Amino acid sequence: MERSQYNYENILSWIFVIGSLFMGYIVYSNLDKGFIFNDEAFYLFYYKDHDSLPTIDSTNFYRIFKFLFTENIYHFRIITYALLNISTFFVYLFAGKYYKLKVNAFLIGFLGITVNFVSWGVCNIVMHQYISNTILINLALAFIFIYLIYNKSLSLIISGFCLGMLLFNGIPHTIVIIPIAGFLFFNFWKKDRKIIFYIIAGGIMGIIFYFTFIEDFSKFISQFEWIKYYKQFHIKQHPKRFFIFWILKVAGFIFLPSLLLIGYLYKFSKNKIQHTNHILIVLGVIFVISYLFHPSIYINYVLLALLIYRYFLEDICIEKKTMLIVLSLIPFGLSFGSGAYFEVRGTLYNLYYYLALSIIILSVYRVRIYAALVVLFIYQYLVFQNLLKEKGWKDFIFTEQTEKVKINGYDLYLDKGRTKDIEDLRPYLQNQPNVIYSSNHLIGYLYILNASPPIYYYFALKDYVRFIIKKVGKTPDDFIYIESNDYPFLSREIVPLQFVDHPEKYKVVKTGRFTLYLPSNYQKNKNTCVE
């Protein structure tokens, strides 16, 4: 095809380059500000201490990406976004080349970076399970595309290696491998089995690499003894009804309506392309309205399902068709078991959604549909900087982060309220090893003050905390307890002076917004100076 044939599509796509650079400037210029006092501190603690923690969670991405960890939070955030953007750029780039889209593949790569910024915002979480899974899947897909384009067997081995590592990056999320495996077996088991064998060989190499250079196999096996203990507490944190509701909502709001629409068109429509396009116009209008006013990921995926059906009506090879199904299913695998419903966690994986959406639009429709998609992203560019002035995820506003604080010897800017909290707590918590906290929202103070609990937990499950305390050879009376006005201890969980054996020996101290319960053996750490 002549390059000049698609001048309009390419000109429009330069907006993604300009827009992603604009969003990138906003993000990277603010990565030294703010601190997510629950999730981010939780992950940082694990990177720092995972070798000594008595938990099965240590067999996770904390080990895989340990070599990237730095106590300079600002640098770690840069590393996170850089790896996420680079891996996404590659998967969009090679997908564009494989599908021979009407747009230069280099420009399509910047669409991927744009989607990352739209999905994650100015989210200051350091590399964690969801980002690391995304990076591994991006690399695995990119190398599959490289093989499909250039027929280089080494790329299959590298792809399999990434999928092998993924097995140790969060147990529930490994189901994301299923649609990828299904694609390979469906398309190549009869035609060219060596492709599957190369992927499997790469996966085995990834597993061997993990147990050779990352974690000792005996330690990995020994951690399974924790499952019989941990599962009784885990069901309180993520009860079975959560998974049931997760499946019912996804099935009821996405799969069922999609199957009904596609089934109706397949069985009763005499002009399938025309009728499908008519329904897509209606869904497209709903998609745009929801995109601008009240985003609904359920509507989005019904639209995508019907678009994939429309793509299947074209005379295109089956490999390209089935790969679109893989892209549409990956978000369900990556978000499963994450502790949040699909409408919350699924949006983090919009990069696969928009990759599939762009492939279909650029393959089937004229430039005006693609222009509408570009306009939606222009809207995102225009409103993106508002994130700095709005109350963000985990309770801070970027424009208020003006007070310099030293964390592990490195500068980070917080708001005045947080810095006052730190100084209120410093005389009592600096370098203290035994602290029980009322809410995960307080763990950031522990991280900054180099204080630590017996285990890092999201929910103060009383039985679980008691079990861990015993496991590390201590008693409840050996610990400091901290709560805040905003996050007091829950009466159904831990009430400090009822949780300990000798409440009469505890001293209650109120400082600022906090209440501390100090045990009889409490001693101030002499090294409480400000770094």
Side-chain angles (χ1 to χ4, degrees):
M1 295 182 182
E2 295 183 4
R3 187 176 298 177
S4 60
Q5 185 178 355
Y6 302 121
N7 278 341
Y8 291 122
E9 286 88 346
N10 279 288
I11 291 171
L12 284 170
S13 299
W14 275 100
I15 293 174
F16 296 135
V17 179
I18 298 169
S20 61
L21 292 175
F22 170 69
M23 298 171 98
Y25 171 76
I26 292 175
V27 169
Y28 284 103
S29 62
N30 285 280
L31 286 181
D32 61 341
K33 298 176 183 177
F35 188 60
I36 299 175
F37 273 66
N38 46 5
D39 289 43
E40 189 168 39
F42 180 85
Y43 292 112
L44 285 167
F45 261 127
Y46 264 106
Y47 271 104
K48 187 174 69 173
D49 299 336
H50 71 268
D51 284 323
S52 60
L53 293 175
T55 170
I56 57 174
D57 288 337
S58 60
T59 304
N60 218 307
F61 66 96
Y62 316 104
R63 293 185 181 274
I64 296 173
F65 292 97
K66 172 72 172 179
F67 70 100
L68 297 171
F69 172 66
T70 168
E71 289 190 326
N72 186 329
I73 298 172
Y74 173 62
H75 287 170
F76 203 26
R77 290 167 173 174
I78 291 175
I79 291 170
T80 296
Y81 266 110
L83 287 178
L84 181 63
N85 282 331
I86 290 169
S87 66
T88 301
F89 180 85
F90 280 142
V91 76
Y92 270 66
L93 172 73
F94 290 112
K97 287 182 177 291
Y98 173 62
Y99 280 92
K100 298 179 179 178
L101 300 179
K102 301 171 185 177
V103 172
N104 185 288
F106 177 80
L107 302 179
I108 286 293
F110 281 92
L111 169 60
I113 294 175
T114 284
V115 175
N116 277 340
F117 288 134
V118 171
S119 300
W120 292 91
V122 196
C123 175
N124 284 354
I125 294 185
V126 296
M127 186 178 292
H128 54 54
Q129 191 166 352
Y130 313 115
I131 288 179
S132 55
N133 272 330
T134 304
I135 292 169
L136 289 172
I137 286 293
N138 283 348
L139 294 175
L141 286 176
F143 281 104
I144 288 175
F145 283 130
I146 290 172
Y147 173 80
L148 294 173
I149 298 166
Y150 304 109
N151 198 30
K152 301 294 184 181
S153 300
L154 178 61
S155 63
L156 292 174
I157 295 174
I158 298 174
S159 177
F161 181 90
C162 294
L163 294 175
M165 297 294 286
L166 186 71
L167 294 173
F168 307 98
N169 205 56
I171 294 173
H173 312 295
T174 56
I175 66 171
V176 73
I177 294 176
I178 295 174
I180 298 174
F183 167 81
L184 295 169
F185 277 92
F186 179 81
N187 288 291
F188 302 110
W189 181 251
K190 292 182 179 180
K191 183 168 63 175
D192 191 358
R193 293 185 184 180
K194 73 175 188 224
I195 293 174
I196 298 173
F197 294 145
Y198 279 128
I199 288 276
I200 293 174
I204 293 172
M205 291 174 63
I207 294 170
I208 293 173
F209 180 88
Y210 182 85
F211 289 123
T212 303
F213 298 102
I214 298 178
E215 181 177 38
D216 183 78
F217 183 74
S218 61
K219 185 173 182 179
F220 174 79
I221 294 298
S222 69
Q223 290 184 85
F224 280 96
E225 71 175 83
W226 271 90
I227 293 180
K228 62 183 179 183
Y229 302 116
Y230 183 72
K231 65 181 181 181
Q232 60 184 310
F233 308 113
H234 181 75
I235 58 175
K236 296 178 182 178
Q237 181 175 332
H238 298 309
K240 291 179 180 178
R241 67 176 181 273
F242 164 79
F243 296 101
I244 294 172
F245 284 133
W246 195 99
I247 293 170
L248 287 177
K249 290 176 76 172
V250 166
F253 292 124
I254 298 176
F255 291 124
L256 183 59
S258 299
L259 289 173
L260 289 175
L261 281 173
I262 293 171
Y264 169 78
L265 290 166
Y266 179 79
K267 189 171 181 62
F268 299 107
S269 177
K270 294 181 180 180
N271 190 335
K272 292 180 173 54
I273 290 179
Q274 184 180 19
H275 290 167
T276 302
N277 284 338
H278 288 162
I279 297 176
L280 283 170
I281 290 172
V282 176
L283 290 176
V285 171
I286 297 173
F287 166 77
V288 171
I289 294 173
S290 69
Y291 187 91
L292 296 175
F293 300 104
H294 186 69
S296 170
I297 196 169
Y298 297 119
I299 293 293
N300 295 2
Y301 273 87
V302 174
L303 172 66
L304 180 60
L306 206 62
L307 280 168
I308 292 174
Y309 174 73
R310 173 65 181 84
Y311 189 85
F312 266 70
L313 298 177
E314 296 291 315
D315 184 18
I316 300 173
C317 73
I318 191 64
E319 292 170 14
K320 292 185 176 180
K321 292 177 178 179
T322 49
M323 177 55 80
L324 287 177
I325 296 176
V326 174
L327 293 175
S328 69
L329 292 178
I330 283 175
F332 298 98
L334 289 178
S335 64
F336 184 72
S338 66
Y341 290 111
F342 184 67
E343 66 266 26
V344 176
R345 195 71 72 200
T347 55
L348 299 180
Y349 309 109
N350 270 342
L351 68 97
Y352 306 107
Y353 175 86
Y354 282 104
L355 177 56
L357 189 68
S358 301
I359 289 169
I360 298 168
I361 290 174
L362 288 169
S363 300
V364 176
Y365 295 103
R366 295 181 179 178
V367 65
R368 62 176 178 267
I369 303 297
Y370 184 60
L373 181 66
V374 173
V375 169
L376 289 177
F377 280 107
I378 291 175
Y379 168 77
Q380 286 292 345
Y381 299 142
L382 295 175
V383 302
F384 188 75
Q385 60 183 343
N386 291 339
L387 292 172
L388 301 177
K389 302 175 183 178
E390 296 173 353
K391 192 171 185 179
W393 194 47
K394 309 308 178 189
D395 306 321
F396 66 80
I397 301 174
F398 280 91
T399 52
E400 295 180 355
Q401 312 304 311
T402 57
E403 301 293 313
K404 187 185 294 185
V405 174
K406 289 282 187 181
I407 302 178
N408 299 319
Y410 301 100
D411 293 336
L412 194 71
Y413 290 90
L414 304 179
D415 65 71
K416 292 182 180 180
R418 299 286 195 184
T419 53
K420 182 182 183 304
D421 289 344
I422 292 167
E423 296 314 313
D424 287 343
L425 293 172
R426 192 182 298 280
Y428 303 98
L429 295 185
Q430 183 79 51
N431 300 322
Q432 293 289 346
N434 302 317
V435 183
I436 302 294
Y437 51 93
S438 61
S439 169
N440 211 44
H441 293 76
L442 304 185
I443 195 172
Y445 296 113
L446 274 61
Y447 185 84
I448 292 172
L449 297 169
N450 196 34
S452 59
I455 194 71
Y456 308 110
Y457 47 86
Y458 264 64
F459 304 102
L461 303 174
K462 178 171 55 179
D463 297 333
Y464 182 45
V465 172
R466 190 184 293 275
F467 170 76
I468 295 295
I469 288 174
K470 184 177 180 181
K471 192 75 174 178
V472 297
K474 296 183 179 294
T475 70
D477 291 61
D478 294 317
F479 287 84
I480 300 168
Y481 297 83
I482 175 177
E483 62 183 352
S484 71
N485 296 340
D486 297 327
Y487 303 103
F489 281 103
L490 299 178
S491 58
R492 67 174 180 272
E493 291 294 346
I494 296 172
V495 177
L497 297 184
Q498 297 176 12
F499 186 69
V500 301
D501 295 325
H502 298 285
E504 70 280 0
K505 295 182 179 181
Y506 265 77
K507 180 181 179 181
V508 180
V509 175
K510 291 187 178 294
T511 174
R513 294 187 292 178
F514 303 90
T515 301
L516 295 100
Y517 303 83
L518 307 178
S520 57
N521 61 356
Y522 171 78
Q523 291 183 345
K524 281 190 177 182
N525 194 306
K526 294 181 181 179
N527 184 23
T528 59
C529 62
V530 180
E531 291 182 311

